[in-house]
mmCIF file of all heavy atoms in Angstrom:
data_model
loop_
_atom_site.group_PDB
_atom_site.id
_atom_site.type_symbol
_atom_site.label_atom_id
_atom_site.label_comp_id
_atom_site.label_asym_id
_atom_site.label_seq_id
_atom_site.Cartn_x
_atom_site.Cartn_y
_atom_site.Cartn_z
ATOM 1 N N LEU J 274 -16.444 8.742 4.019
ATOM 2 C CA LEU J 274 -16.997 7.448 4.438
ATOM 3 C C LEU J 274 -17.640 7.512 5.815
ATOM 4 O O LEU J 274 -18.633 6.843 6.072
ATOM 5 C CB LEU J 274 -15.897 6.382 4.439
ATOM 6 C CG LEU J 274 -15.103 6.241 3.138
ATOM 7 C CD1 LEU J 274 -14.039 5.157 3.286
ATOM 8 C CD2 LEU J 274 -16.028 5.908 1.984
ATOM 9 N N LEU J 275 -17.028 8.295 6.698
ATOM 10 C CA LEU J 275 -17.519 8.371 8.074
ATOM 11 C C LEU J 275 -17.606 9.829 8.494
ATOM 12 O O LEU J 275 -16.788 10.651 8.079
ATOM 13 C CB LEU J 275 -16.548 7.639 9.026
ATOM 14 C CG LEU J 275 -16.330 6.140 8.806
ATOM 15 C CD1 LEU J 275 -15.203 5.644 9.725
ATOM 16 C CD2 LEU J 275 -17.599 5.347 9.077
ATOM 17 N N LYS J 276 -18.592 10.116 9.322
ATOM 18 C CA LYS J 276 -18.708 11.483 9.846
ATOM 19 C C LYS J 276 -18.514 11.469 11.355
ATOM 20 O O LYS J 276 -19.196 10.740 12.069
ATOM 21 C CB LYS J 276 -20.077 12.079 9.504
ATOM 22 C CG LYS J 276 -20.179 13.559 9.914
ATOM 23 C CD LYS J 276 -21.503 14.200 9.542
ATOM 24 C CE LYS J 276 -21.644 14.487 8.072
ATOM 25 N NZ LYS J 276 -20.636 15.398 7.530
ATOM 26 N N LEU J 277 -17.564 12.301 11.801
ATOM 27 C CA LEU J 277 -17.315 12.438 13.230
ATOM 28 C C LEU J 277 -18.276 13.494 13.770
ATOM 29 O O LEU J 277 -18.194 14.670 13.424
ATOM 30 C CB LEU J 277 -15.857 12.864 13.454
ATOM 31 C CG LEU J 277 -15.388 12.997 14.900
ATOM 32 C CD1 LEU J 277 -15.532 11.688 15.669
ATOM 33 C CD2 LEU J 277 -13.933 13.467 14.940
ATOM 34 N N LYS J 278 -19.208 13.040 14.622
ATOM 35 C CA LYS J 278 -20.236 13.962 15.100
ATOM 36 C C LYS J 278 -19.882 14.588 16.445
ATOM 37 O O LYS J 278 -20.210 15.734 16.706
ATOM 38 C CB LYS J 278 -21.589 13.236 15.224
ATOM 39 C CG LYS J 278 -22.071 12.682 13.887
ATOM 40 C CD LYS J 278 -23.503 12.230 13.938
ATOM 41 C CE LYS J 278 -24.424 13.410 13.998
ATOM 42 N NZ LYS J 278 -25.813 13.068 13.612
ATOM 43 N N LYS J 279 -19.242 13.814 17.285
ATOM 44 C CA LYS J 279 -18.971 14.325 18.621
ATOM 45 C C LYS J 279 -17.762 13.637 19.256
ATOM 46 O O LYS J 279 -17.609 12.423 19.121
ATOM 47 C CB LYS J 279 -20.203 14.087 19.499
ATOM 48 C CG LYS J 279 -20.220 14.971 20.717
ATOM 49 C CD LYS J 279 -21.358 14.728 21.714
ATOM 50 C CE LYS J 279 -22.508 13.850 21.312
ATOM 51 N NZ LYS J 279 -23.497 13.683 22.368
ATOM 52 N N VAL J 280 -16.926 14.413 19.907
ATOM 53 C CA VAL J 280 -15.870 13.868 20.757
ATOM 54 C C VAL J 280 -15.951 14.637 22.057
ATOM 55 O O VAL J 280 -15.743 15.849 22.081
ATOM 56 C CB VAL J 280 -14.461 14.066 20.150
ATOM 57 C CG1 VAL J 280 -13.399 13.507 21.092
ATOM 58 C CG2 VAL J 280 -14.342 13.405 18.791
ATOM 59 N N ASN J 281 -16.279 13.952 23.136
ATOM 60 C CA ASN J 281 -16.376 14.609 24.426
ATOM 61 C C ASN J 281 -15.244 14.127 25.322
ATOM 62 O O ASN J 281 -15.232 12.983 25.777
ATOM 63 C CB ASN J 281 -17.739 14.306 25.064
ATOM 64 C CG ASN J 281 -17.996 15.154 26.290
ATOM 65 O OD1 ASN J 281 -17.079 15.412 27.078
ATOM 66 N ND2 ASN J 281 -19.223 15.601 26.456
ATOM 67 N N GLU J 282 -14.290 15.031 25.559
ATOM 68 C CA GLU J 282 -13.110 14.643 26.341
ATOM 69 C C GLU J 282 -13.457 14.305 27.779
ATOM 70 O O GLU J 282 -12.747 13.541 28.426
ATOM 71 C CB GLU J 282 -12.081 15.779 26.330
ATOM 72 C CG GLU J 282 -11.343 15.916 25.014
ATOM 73 C CD GLU J 282 -10.276 16.993 25.096
ATOM 74 O OE1 GLU J 282 -9.250 16.732 25.748
ATOM 75 O OE2 GLU J 282 -10.478 18.079 24.533
ATOM 76 N N ILE J 283 -14.512 14.872 28.300
ATOM 77 C CA ILE J 283 -14.851 14.653 29.711
ATOM 78 C C ILE J 283 -15.596 13.332 29.901
ATOM 79 O O ILE J 283 -15.223 12.516 30.728
ATOM 80 C CB ILE J 283 -15.670 15.845 30.265
ATOM 81 C CG1 ILE J 283 -14.758 17.082 30.273
ATOM 82 C CG2 ILE J 283 -16.164 15.562 31.691
ATOM 83 C CD1 ILE J 283 -15.513 18.389 30.171
ATOM 84 N N THR J 284 -16.616 13.107 29.091
ATOM 85 C CA THR J 284 -17.389 11.870 29.256
ATOM 86 C C THR J 284 -16.773 10.698 28.489
ATOM 87 O O THR J 284 -17.130 9.548 28.708
ATOM 88 C CB THR J 284 -18.832 12.051 28.741
ATOM 89 O OG1 THR J 284 -18.755 12.352 27.334
ATOM 90 C CG2 THR J 284 -19.539 13.183 29.451
ATOM 91 N N GLY J 285 -15.840 10.992 27.589
ATOM 92 C CA GLY J 285 -15.210 9.928 26.806
ATOM 93 C C GLY J 285 -16.097 9.412 25.682
ATOM 94 O O GLY J 285 -15.893 8.322 25.155
ATOM 95 N N GLU J 286 -17.065 10.227 25.322
ATOM 96 C CA GLU J 286 -18.006 9.812 24.293
ATOM 97 C C GLU J 286 -17.493 10.187 22.897
ATOM 98 O O GLU J 286 -17.064 11.317 22.670
ATOM 99 C CB GLU J 286 -19.339 10.527 24.541
ATOM 100 C CG GLU J 286 -20.561 9.784 24.055
ATOM 101 C CD GLU J 286 -21.798 10.660 24.245
ATOM 102 O OE1 GLU J 286 -21.726 11.643 25.024
ATOM 103 O OE2 GLU J 286 -22.817 10.364 23.602
#
Side-chain angles (χ1 to χ4, degrees):
Chain J
L274 307 179
L275 298 173
K276 186 178 286 300
L277 183 59
K278 299 192 73 161
K279 200 185 348 179
V280 179
N281 190 322
E282 286 184 73
I283 294 154
T284 62
E286 208 185 343

